[in-house]
Structures are given as structure tokens and as C-alpha cells.
């Protein structure tokens, strides 16, 4: 009964205990309260304000001066000048806002119910709440349907005519833990951010409002109550259901980001009409089949040595407590993995915006870090599992976003730097804003956001080998490379480096004891450039176009620094082997080449791999990994270094120290990147393909002696199933999307497989490698 379920035996008291649902655009957090149910609602395109031109017109004329100051070691002055002329004006981008909260006031008391249960069914993508009270058993189901673009809430009772409740909508600040009855009965600011609430001729509740700021985005939310038995009373402020057998609530929402403001209400009602024309069973079945077509591609089962089958009978928050107390629970790791895939399916679907810092789930009018796109690690991490975990369609919203960045980023490149191509700094927002964000020396003056994002285009090609996709994506990759070609300058060693820049978001210490952040040629930048230029060169070979440009890139690459080893035997973070101000910094930017990059690998660059290991040890010794995403990155890096136990320790630490009761990643506070990084890391422990071969079980820890995984993806267009027992490979099954061959390695030995027919599986066992 509990297989593939995250479940709790009590309602959520706090938002961080609620369960997320979503269809890429329309998201909800389900609290499961009996007395007053709360579903906190989001629509991915509801953001504060309109687009702004923040490109700083003073930047270009001061660029050379800043560069000269950096090269002369006059860092203080360089930083002072940059903080005046290289910042965006205004210095901040737009932020994400919630739609509001839907409340269902049943009049029952939480205290009087029995057999309470709240669950997320990961096989169906449905949240359920069940309980008994007064001889009746109640069931609520919640999901956000992608095919029908509505959220559905279904309430039933086993006792005819026993369902009575009021539905209210609020948009204001909710204090937690919340005496919700107070909110509903003595509402202060309950409708603080609404323009209109009322019913249309059909009896749908229609809510309209708009975010603040110039050109603030307008939204409409329409809610229909379909009642079976009993009656529906419209009291203006609320819809009241009396003595019904069942009720289905359908929610539609849109904004004028996608729909004209005149048409928003009609569009919402159209969606409701279409969904209501189906029976609830049909609506649900269509949701499940859509969701299953994605979630069902990968299955993971991890088993420890002791057969602790009964652990799934424990509520998920208690299982997490056990882990915190030092116990193992491989099955929960499997759930966590699938939950990460669930979150990507729920927050990033074709047509939606990319998953932001909180996916799509945000309750605050001014959320932490604006709940936007931080592109010096966080947004990229969101998409780490997209390809390897067989959800490549969910990667699409990021590609659409990159195209929009390209338009805005060309302007920023030209106005601020006098360069061709396109640039993005370390943040962006709904408007694909590319100008610098904040006035923060450690992060603001970093120009590699677009280049890094473009590596995702190449990855998508690598996993799927769709040449048509590459043909379209190449121009974008080239544009990112063009910016860098123009932006690179000669350093004192005659190398080509970025300047000014920083190693996100660390500082170095100068020999005179002063600290700085602004620098030239931080290792991460050169690593990203090597990766991007390399992919552009390969693309031009595959596509047989632009060979001259490829030659220019090749020439430039000869002068772009390679990863260097510093005085501690570590990978150098800056082009000069400075001391780090924070040796335990959460960002480990200089190991980009190890992960997600591919320039440092066990097989191809063993010396650099040793240095990468030293770097990680050093970061960890000084307290690194203290945020959720940092821990998740470390997990992926240890997996790449084939350090199974260290990867596993860090995964467990992610669960122990950086995971909320509902399994959301805790930066703190909630930030979704660690969920996605954690999911990708688990896949990376079982299968790798970054070194030109498919590597089976590269980092299998002792805690998972038995298990199997079905449907992981490998670069080159392969799908892989693996089964193991007693820590040893039983079988690997590989399917290819097209004819061809691949190298498959296990425990240091490699064999070649030839695929004569696409889709035809080839099965291998450990003795094929004679290990
Ligand atoms: C970067 C990180 C922070 C946080 C923020 C959203 O600035 O350094 O830890 O994740 O982005």
C-alpha cells in the first residue's frame, strides 16, 4: 500500500510540510488539514513588474580602465569602479509572486478524526487525504493536469449527503503556523493583493489581480465547483457546498504574460468548460496516463542487507528522522530519487517557464532571492537530471528560455561590453533579463551565465543524438561563443582570459592580507569556455558548416588556460594560486571541469582527478556543503571520482541536514536545486557516460548491495537497465536509438558492443569483462 508513496499521518502545519503538485505552470501546495484545507497556488508566469532595460550605459567606456586596474593588482579600486559603472540600473531584476490560497472550511475539527492519512502517490502523480469522522470516511484527491491545464480537487464521503464545506480564496500574507480559522473569520489582509473577486454567470469564482511595478503582470484565476447531490450556495465571498455526496473543484489560472488581458477570464473559463465536460474519472485517467508516460520510464529499487521492508509503513517524515539519527534507508533514497523526477515533471513541461529557485512553488510576495533564475549553478542544477533520468522533454522550457536570453543578451553584450554574441550574468528573471544583478562583488560581475546554459543544448544533443536539434541549437551556442571570443583579453602570461570576473562567489586573499573577488581568468570561466568552444567545434564538424569559425575557436583555445594544480595539490581556483578567503565556500566553481563539465575525468586526466579530490577534501574540511545544493554538487563530484562511499555519505548528509519533512531541499530555506542535484547524483552513482563510454555502477556504495534500475539514459543515444546483487553486477541491458556501437565499462575493463538494430536490447553480464 505504501510502495512509491511519500506519506504522513498528520496534516501539514507549515508550508514546508505540505505536498507539491504541478503541471509545469499551475502549482499547488496541499496541506491536508481537515478543518480548513489550504492549497497554496502558483502560476509560473505571475511575477512582479514588466521588462526593464537595465543595461548600464556607462559600462563600456570604463571597461578598459577596470581591466587595467585588475591586471595591475589594484583590486580595491577596480571593485569600487565596477560597483559604480558595471552594475545593472536598477540593480535588481523581477521577482516571482504567488497567486493566492484556496481554503476549504469543513467545520470539522482536526481533533475528532480517525485514520488520518496524507500521501503523494508517485506512480500516479496524485495527492490523497483520507480520514474518518462521524461514521463517514472522507477522501480528497488533488492533481494538476498537464493535458487539461487545470488543477482538480475531488472530495468524496462514504456517507450520502455528508459533505458540507465553504470554499474561500485569499491573497495576502499568511503567518505560520497558522490559526487558519482566524484568517477566515477575522481576515486581515485576506484580499490585500486582489482587484476583484466574485462569480460569473455560470457560478465560477473569478479572481483577478495584478502584481506591482510598472507593467505588472495581471492574472486571472477561475474556480468551478461541480457538486453531486446536495446544493451549492453562492454567498459572494465564498461558495458553500451543503450536504453533497461529492464535489469536484476545478482551478484554472493564467496571466497576461501568455494570454491577452482581455482574454484571460475567457481562457480560464474555456479550460474549465473543457475539463468539466469530462467525467472526473476521465480527467484523472488522462492526467495519470500523461504523468505515467514520463515517470514510468525509470524505475529504481535499492536494497540494503537487512530486509527492512516494514520501513515503508512508517510516515516519510519519521523515516527521515531515522536517517538523521544515523540509520540507513535505501528504499527512501529510491523514493527521494523518484520524487526529484516528480518535481521536474511538475515544474517544467513544454510551454512552461523553466523551473526557478523554488520550481514553481512559492508562498511569499517577496521570496528569498526573488525565486528567480540564478544561473551561476542553481538553474543549471535544476536540469541535471533532465537527460540522465530520461525526462528530456522537461528540458525544453530551459531551451526556450535560452532563446529569449539570446535576444536580450545580445543587447547587453553590445551596450555594456561592445561585444558580439550574447551574454548573461549570474541571474535572470521572467523577462530573460541579462544585465548584472545586485551590487555584490563576489557574484555580480560574472559574464558566464549564458555560456554555461548553452552547454545544456549540447547535452540534450549528446543524449538524444538528434541532429536536427543540434542544427537549431548551434546558432545559439555559437552566439554565446562569439561573445566570449570578443570579451577575452590577454593576461600578463599571454593567455586569453575573462576580465573582469570572479570565481562565484568566493574571495581570495592577496599577499598583503587584503581580500578581493574581482579578478581575471578564474578557473571556472576558462573551463566553461573550453567546454563551450569544444562543443561548437564538434557541432560544426557534425553539421559540416561554419568550419572557418571552428578554426578561430581552435586557435583561441590554444591560449585559454587549462586547469592548473596549486600549492596544496588542489585545482587552482584563480589564475594565480591565491589563498581562498573561505576555503570551505559552498561554491566549488573551479571543479566545474569535473562536474558538470567533462575535462577532468578519472580515465583521461588521472592527475587532475587527484587534484580535484584534494580540492573537495579541502572544501569539506573547512565546512563546505553547508547548503543543500552545495551538498548535492559534492555528491555528484564524488560520484565522478568513483568514490562510492564518499558519494553516499554526502547523499545521506543531504537527507540528514538539508531536507525538509516533505523532502523538499532546504538551502535553508527551501530551494529546489538540491532535490534535482540529489536525483542526478544518485543516477551518476549508478551510470556515467561523460568519458566516451558507458560506465556501469561507477560508484555503488556498500549500503546498496542489491538493486536494479531501469531506463537511465547514457550519452550517445542509449537507454540502460542495470541489476546487481551483493555489490556485483548481475546484468546490464542497453538499447540504442540508432545503429552503431559503444564502449561499455565495468570495474576498469571495457568491451565494445555493436547495435545492428535500434531498440534491440543487448544484455551483458559481469563475466563479459572477465571480472
Ligand atoms: C547563489 C548561492 C546562494 C543561493 C542563491 C540563490 O547566490 O550562492 O547559496 O543559492 O544563489
Amino acid at each position: 500500500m505504501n510502495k512509491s508513496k511519500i506519506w504522513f499521518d498528520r496534516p501539514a502545519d507549515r508550508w514546508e510540510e505540505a505536498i507539491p503538485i504541478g503541471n509545469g505552470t499551475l502549482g499547488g501546495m496541499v496541506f491536508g488539514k481537515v478543518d480548513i484545507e489550504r492549497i497554496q497556488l502558483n502560476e509560473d508566469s505571475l511575477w512582479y513588474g514588466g521588462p526593464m532595460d537595465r543595461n548600464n550605459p556607462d559600462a563600456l567606456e570604463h571597461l578598459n580602465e577596470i581591466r587595467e586596474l585588475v591586471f595591475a593588482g589594484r583590486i580595491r579600486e577596480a571593485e569600487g569602479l565596477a560597483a559604480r559603472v558595471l552594475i545593472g540600473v536598477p540593480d535588481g531584476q523581477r521577482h516571482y509572486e504567488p497567486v493566492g490560497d484556496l481554503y476549504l472550511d469543513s467545520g470539522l475539527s482536526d481533533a475528532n478524526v480517525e485514520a488520518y492519512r496524507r500521501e503523494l502517490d508517485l506512480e500516479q502523480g496524485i495527492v490523497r487525504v483520507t480520514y474518518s469522522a462521524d461514521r463517514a470516511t472522507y477522501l480528497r484527491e488533488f492533481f494538476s493536469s498537464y493535458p487539461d491545464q487545470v488543477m482538480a480537487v475531488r472530495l468524496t464521503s462514504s456517507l450520502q449527503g455528508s459533505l458540507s464545506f465553504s470554499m474561500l480564496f485569499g491573497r495576502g500574507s499568511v503567518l505560520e503556523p497558522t490559526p487558519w480559522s482566524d484568517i477566515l473569520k477575522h481576515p486581515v489582509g485576506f484580499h490585500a493583493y486582489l482587484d476583484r473577486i466574485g462569480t460569473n454567470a455560470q457560478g465560477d469564482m473569478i479572481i483577478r489581480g495584478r502584481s506591482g511595478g510598472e507593467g505588472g503582470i495581471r492574472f486571472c484565476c477561475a474556480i468551478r465547483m461541480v457538486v453531486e447531490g446536495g446544493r451549492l450556495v453562492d454567498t459572494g465571498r465564498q461558495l458553500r457546498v451543503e450536504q453533497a455526496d461529492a464535489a469536484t473543484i476545478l482551478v484554472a489560472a493564467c496571466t497576461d504574460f501568455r494570454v491577452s488581458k482581455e482574454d484571460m477570464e475567457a481562457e480560464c473559463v474555456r479550460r474549465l468548460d473543457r475539463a468539466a465536460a469530462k467525467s472526473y474519472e476521465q480527467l484523472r485517467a488522462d492526467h495519470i496516463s500523461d504523468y505515467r508516460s514520463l515517470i514510468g520510464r525509470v524505475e529504481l529499487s535499492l536494497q540494503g542487507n537487512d530486509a527492512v521492508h516494514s520501513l515503508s509503513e512508517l510516515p516519510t517524515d519519521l523515516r527521515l528522522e531515522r536517517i538523521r539519527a544515523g540509520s540507513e534507508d535505501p528504499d527512501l533514497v529510491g523514493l527521494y530519487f523518484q520524487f526529484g523526477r516528480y518535481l521536474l515533471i511538475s515544474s517544467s513541461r513544454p510551454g512552461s517557464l523553466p523551473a526557478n529557485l523554488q520550481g514553481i512553488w512559492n508562498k511569499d510576495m517577496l521570496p528569498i532571492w526573488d525565486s528567480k533564475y540564478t544561473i551561476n549553478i542553481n538553474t543549471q542544477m535544476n536540469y541535471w537530471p533532465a537527460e540522465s533520468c530520461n525526462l528530456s522533454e522537461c528540458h525544453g522550457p530551459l531551451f526556450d528560455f535560452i532563446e529569449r536570453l539570446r535576444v536580450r543578451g545580445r543587447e547587453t553584450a553590445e551596450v555594456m561590453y561592445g561585444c558580439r554574441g550574447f551574454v548573461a550574468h549570474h541571474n535572470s528573471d521572467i523577462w530573460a533579463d541579462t544585465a548584472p544583478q545586485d551590487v555584490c562583488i563576489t557574484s555580480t560581475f560574472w559574464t558566464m551565465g549564458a555560456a554555461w546554459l548553452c552547454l545544456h543544448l549540447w547535452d540534450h544533443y549528446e543524449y538524444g543524438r538528434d541532429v536536427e536539434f543540434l542544427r537549431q541549437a548551434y546558432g545559439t551556442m555559437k552566439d554565446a561563443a562569439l561573445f566570449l571570443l570578443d570579451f577575452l583579453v590577454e593576461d600578463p602570461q599571454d593567455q586569453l582570459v575573462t576580465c573582469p570576473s570572479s570565481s562565484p562567489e568566493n574571495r581570495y586573499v592577496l599577499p598583503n592580507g587584503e581580500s578581493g573577488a574581482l579578478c581575471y581568468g578564474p578557473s571556472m570561466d576558462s573551463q566553461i569556455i573550453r567546454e563551450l568552444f569544444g562543443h561548437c567545434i564538434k557541432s560544426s564538424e557534425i553539421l559540416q558548416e561554419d568550419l572557418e569559425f571552428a578554426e578561430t575557436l581552435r586557435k583561441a583555445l590554444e591560449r585559454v588556460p587549462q586547469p592548473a594544480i596549486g600549492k596544496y595539490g588542489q585545482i587552482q581556483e584563480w589564475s594565480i594560486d591565491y589563498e581562498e578567503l573561505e576555503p570551505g565556500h559552498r561554491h566549488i566553481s573551479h571543479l566545474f571541469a569535473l562536474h558538470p563539465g567533462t575535462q577532468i575525468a578519472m580515465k583521461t586526466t588521472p592527475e587532475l582527478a587527484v587534484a580535484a579530490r584534494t580540492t573537495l577534501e579541502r572544501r569539506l574540511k573547512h565546512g563546505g556543503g553547508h547548503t543543500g545544493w552545495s551538498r548535492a554538487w559534492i555528491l555528484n563530484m564524488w560520484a565522478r571520482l568513483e568514490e562510492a562511499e564518499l558519494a553516499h555519505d554526502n547523499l545521506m548528509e543531504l537527507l540528514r541536514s538539508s531536507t525538509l519533512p516533505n523532502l523538499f531541499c532546504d538551502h535553508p530555506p527551501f530551494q529546489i536545486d538540491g532535490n534535482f542535484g540529489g536525483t542526478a547524483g544518485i543516477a551518476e552513482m549508478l551510470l556515467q557516460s561523460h568519458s566516451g563510454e558507458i560506465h556501469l555502477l561507477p560508484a555503488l556504495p556498500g549500503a546498496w548491495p542489491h538493486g536494479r534500475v531501469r531506463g537511465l539514459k547514457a550519452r550517445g543515444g542509449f537507454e540502460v537497465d542495470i541489476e546487481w546483487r551483493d555489490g556485483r553486477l548481475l546484468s546490464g541491458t542497453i538499447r540504442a536509438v540508432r545503429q552503431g556501437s559503444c564502449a561499455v565499462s565495468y570495474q576498469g575493463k571495457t568491451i565494445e558492443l555493436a547495435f545492428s538494430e535500434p531498440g534491440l536490447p543487448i544484455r551483458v553480464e559481469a563475466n563479459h569483462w572477465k571480472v
Side-chain angles (χ1 to χ4, degrees):
M1 152 177 179
N2 289 325
K3 195 175 160 283
S4 299
K5 284 178 184 152
I6 290 170
W7 75 276
F8 307 92
D9 59 4
R10 52 188 183 81
D13 276 330
R14 300 184 295 139
W15 190 88
E16 291 78 5
E17 293 169 359
I19 305 180
I21 55 174
N23 64 2
T25 48
L26 185 59
M29 290 292 283
V30 180
F31 284 63
K33 279 265 194 192
V34 172
D35 54 354
I36 300 167
E37 175 65 273
R38 176 183 173 200
I39 307 148
Q40 186 266 308
L41 297 172
N42 288 104
E43 204 276 354
D44 69 335
S45 62
L46 179 52
W47 291 58
Y48 178 93
M52 296 178 280
D53 177 0
R54 301 169 51 254
N55 295 316
N56 193 329
D58 289 335
L60 187 53
E61 73 176 271
H62 292 96
L63 182 61
N64 277 342
E65 194 181 342
I66 293 170
R67 284 178 164 158
E68 279 161 20
L69 289 169
V70 171
F71 284 124
R74 292 160 62 186
I75 304 301
R76 279 279 153 279
E77 291 162 73
E79 291 183 349
L81 185 55
R84 287 200 301 281
V85 302
L86 272 196
I87 56 171
V89 275
D91 63 35
Q93 298 167 345
R94 300 306 200 180
H95 64 265
Y96 185 43
E97 285 188 1
V99 166
D101 295 276
L102 189 62
Y103 296 96
L104 308 176
D105 182 0
S106 72
L108 283 172
S109 155
D110 277 290
N112 296 338
V113 305
E114 286 174 354
Y116 180 89
R117 183 182 164 94
R118 178 170 61 106
E119 69 178 29
L120 166 60
D121 182 333
L122 285 169
E123 276 177 7
Q124 300 192 325
I126 289 186
V127 169
R128 277 185 210 96
V129 174
T130 49
Y131 55 90
S132 310
D134 297 333
R135 296 180 313 354
T137 301
Y138 294 88
L139 167 67
R140 298 178 193 160
E141 285 190 329
F142 308 78
F143 60 87
S144 187
S145 159
Y146 180 69
D148 284 295
Q149 291 294 307
V150 291
M151 184 180 290
V153 179
R154 167 87 171 168
L155 297 95
T156 52
S157 158
S158 63
L159 211 65
Q160 236 186 4
S162 66
L163 206 63
S164 299
F165 64 92
S166 300
M167 184 184 85
L168 296 97
F169 187 96
R171 188 167 196 254
S173 303
V174 181
L175 298 174
E176 290 180 4
T178 324
W180 287 326
S181 50
D182 287 2
I183 292 184
L184 301 189
K185 287 179 193 117
H186 313 286
V188 177
F190 189 60
H191 288 157
Y193 301 107
L194 291 184
D195 291 340
R196 195 197 129 185
I197 181 160
T199 40
N200 64 6
Q202 287 150 283
D204 302 327
M205 189 183 266
I206 305 288
I207 300 117
R208 300 186 70 124
R210 93 164 179 195
S211 71
E214 198 175 285
I217 292 177
R218 293 164 202 263
F219 72 92
C220 177
C221 179
I223 309 176
R224 180 169 302 177
M225 180 84 79
V226 184
V227 181
E228 292 164 37
R231 59 193 200 112
L232 182 65
V233 187
D234 178 357
T235 69
R237 185 171 165 264
Q238 49 181 266
L239 289 181
R240 179 147 183 83
V241 174
E242 284 173 359
Q243 292 164 353
D245 304 331
T248 305
I249 301 168
L250 300 173
V251 182
C254 64
T255 74
D256 65 356
F257 179 73
R258 295 196 181 96
V259 178
S260 79
K261 70 174 190 293
E262 293 76 24
D263 202 33
M264 286 191 308
E265 186 174 328
E267 174 58 27
C268 285
V269 172
R270 266 196 296 274
R271 290 179 195 174
L272 294 180
D273 285 344
R274 270 199 304 267
K278 293 183 180 180
S279 66
Y280 172 72
E281 285 66 32
Q282 192 58 49
L283 192 68
R284 184 181 183 277
D286 291 347
H287 161 69
I288 292 176
S289 83
D290 163 71
Y291 170 76
R292 274 218 177 118
S293 69
L294 294 166
I295 199 85
R297 292 175 188 169
V298 178
E299 236 181 319
L300 172 64
S301 156
L302 298 175
Q303 285 168 42
N305 264 325
D306 345 310
V308 270
H309 301 303
S310 53
L311 279 184
S312 64
E313 300 311 312
L314 272 184
T316 305
D317 48 342
L318 297 186
R319 292 177 80 172
L320 204 55
E321 285 303 325
R322 276 186 80 254
I323 287 191
R324 289 208 177 97
S327 299
E328 292 292 342
D329 188 347
D331 185 62
L332 186 68
V333 172
L335 266 187
Y336 182 81
F337 170 84
Q338 210 61 312
F339 181 58
R341 296 184 69 242
Y342 169 84
L343 291 176
L344 195 61
I345 296 169
S346 308
S347 63
S348 188
R349 295 295 297 271
S352 78
L353 286 160
N356 65 41
L357 284 172
Q358 299 182 194
I360 45 172
W361 300 280
N362 159 50
K363 66 176 166 33
D364 297 316
M365 293 305 284
L366 180 53
I368 178 91
W369 286 302
D370 306 332
S371 195
K372 56 185 185 304
Y373 304 103
T374 305
I375 52 178
N376 66 4
I377 173 69
N378 316 85
T379 302
Q380 288 89 343
M381 183 177 282
N382 283 359
Y383 287 91
W384 287 354
E387 300 296 333
S388 61
C389 297
N390 213 336
L391 292 173
S392 67
E393 297 90 333
C394 298
H395 218 163
L398 186 69
F399 306 150
D400 299 342
F401 187 67
I402 295 172
E403 284 314 308
R404 294 177 50 232
L405 280 176
R406 188 179 175 194
V407 176
R408 308 270 335 253
R410 277 182 180 148
E411 211 179 311
T412 304
E414 191 184 325
V415 173
M416 290 189 61
Y417 302 105
C419 293
R420 296 170 296 169
F422 82 115
V423 64
H425 294 80
H426 91 297
N427 263 271
S428 190
D429 63 7
I430 186 169
W431 304 109
D433 192 310
T434 47
Q437 162 76 27
D438 301 328
V439 189
C440 174
I441 304 289
T442 55
S443 54
T444 300
F445 311 109
W446 183 79
T447 54
M448 303 301 293
W452 187 348
L453 283 171
C454 283
L455 304 182
H456 282 249
L457 298 169
W458 173 258
D459 254 13
H460 182 75
Y461 165 72
E462 270 279 83
Y463 275 92
R465 289 288 165 96
D466 174 354
V467 177
E468 271 325 297
F469 174 84
L470 185 66
R471 205 178 299 286
Q472 287 167 26
Y474 170 69
T476 313
M477 289 159 53
K478 177 181 176 184
D479 252 6
L482 263 180
F483 168 77
L484 288 163
L485 269 182
D486 286 0
F487 186 72
L488 286 171
V489 286
E490 283 180 3
D491 74 359
Q493 293 79 37
D494 247 11
Q495 305 184 101
L496 289 178
V497 294
T498 53
C499 182
S501 190
S502 61
S503 180
E505 303 179 10
N506 209 356
R507 286 173 191 271
Y508 54 85
V509 185
L510 292 168
N512 66 6
E514 263 184 36
S515 71
L518 217 61
C519 65
Y520 65 86
S523 305
M524 176 184 241
D525 292 9
S526 303
Q527 294 173 7
I528 292 176
I529 291 166
R530 299 198 73 81
E531 206 90 17
L532 177 69
F533 285 13
H535 297 336
C536 286
I537 293 168
K538 271 196 218 143
S539 303
S540 90
E541 281 163 8
I542 295 164
L543 302 170
Q544 279 301 303
E545 59 179 76
D546 241 2
L547 299 172
E548 232 171 87
F549 182 66
E551 205 38 48
T552 313
L553 294 177
R554 253 189 219 105
K555 285 240 159 60
L557 270 182
E558 286 167 16
R559 300 175 64 198
V560 174
Q562 301 268 11
I565 299 179
K567 55 179 173 277
Y568 299 108
Q570 90 287 13
I571 297 288
Q572 233 170 265
E573 185 160 355
W574 294 275
S575 60
I576 298 172
D577 193 13
Y578 297 123
E579 291 290 329
E580 310 98 328
L581 184 71
E582 276 185 64
H585 200 277
R586 61 192 179 284
H587 285 263
I588 315 173
S589 309
H590 45 321
L591 288 199
F592 170 90
L594 174 66
H595 185 280
T598 56
Q599 295 149 68
I600 301 180
M602 294 290 284
K603 214 166 183 168
T604 47
T605 61
E607 275 173 33
L608 292 175
V610 171
R613 185 195 170 90
T614 306
T615 312
L616 274 182
E617 284 167 352
R618 205 174 136 69
R619 274 290 205 260
L620 282 165
K621 194 171 115 205
H622 292 92
H626 51 275
T627 66
W629 62 259
S630 177
R631 184 66 66 191
W633 199 356
I634 291 168
L635 148 64
N636 281 275
M637 290 177 175
W638 282 130
R640 284 271 168 101
L641 290 172
E642 299 171 21
E643 283 290 354
E645 298 311 321
L646 293 172
H648 181 256
D649 288 350
N650 280 277
L651 171 60
M652 296 315 277
E653 196 51 36
L654 180 64
L655 289 170
R656 274 196 292 269
S657 305
S658 304
T659 301
L660 292 158
N662 63 359
L663 297 192
F664 263 167
C665 179
D666 197 14
H667 179 287
F670 162 55
Q671 198 169 288
I672 207 160
D673 40 20
N675 284 103
F676 295 132
T679 293
I682 294 165
E684 202 72 25
M685 290 166 75
L686 302 174
L687 178 74
Q688 292 177 17
S689 61
H690 58 284
S691 295
E693 54 185 32
I694 295 176
H695 190 171
L696 304 179
L697 302 179
L700 184 69
W704 310 339
H706 324 295
R708 73 195 137 70
V709 64
R710 178 178 61 76
L712 290 180
K713 287 283 210 128
R715 290 173 185 80
F718 301 99
E719 204 172 289
V720 183
D721 309 338
I722 312 171
E723 202 171 341
W724 66 97
R725 182 146 291 283
D726 298 317
R728 208 180 130 75
L729 180 78
L730 267 189
S731 69
T733 306
I734 300 166
R735 290 171 293 276
V737 291
R738 54 184 52 82
Q739 277 185 353
S741 65
C742 71
V744 185
S745 75
Y746 175 61
Q747 293 198 345
K749 298 197 173 146
T750 303
I751 54 174
E752 283 287 327
L753 298 183
F755 294 85
S756 54
E757 228 180 276
L760 201 68
I762 298 186
R763 191 172 183 278
V764 287
E765 293 174 7
N767 57 19
H768 283 93
W769 288 269
K770 307 205 171 29
V771 291

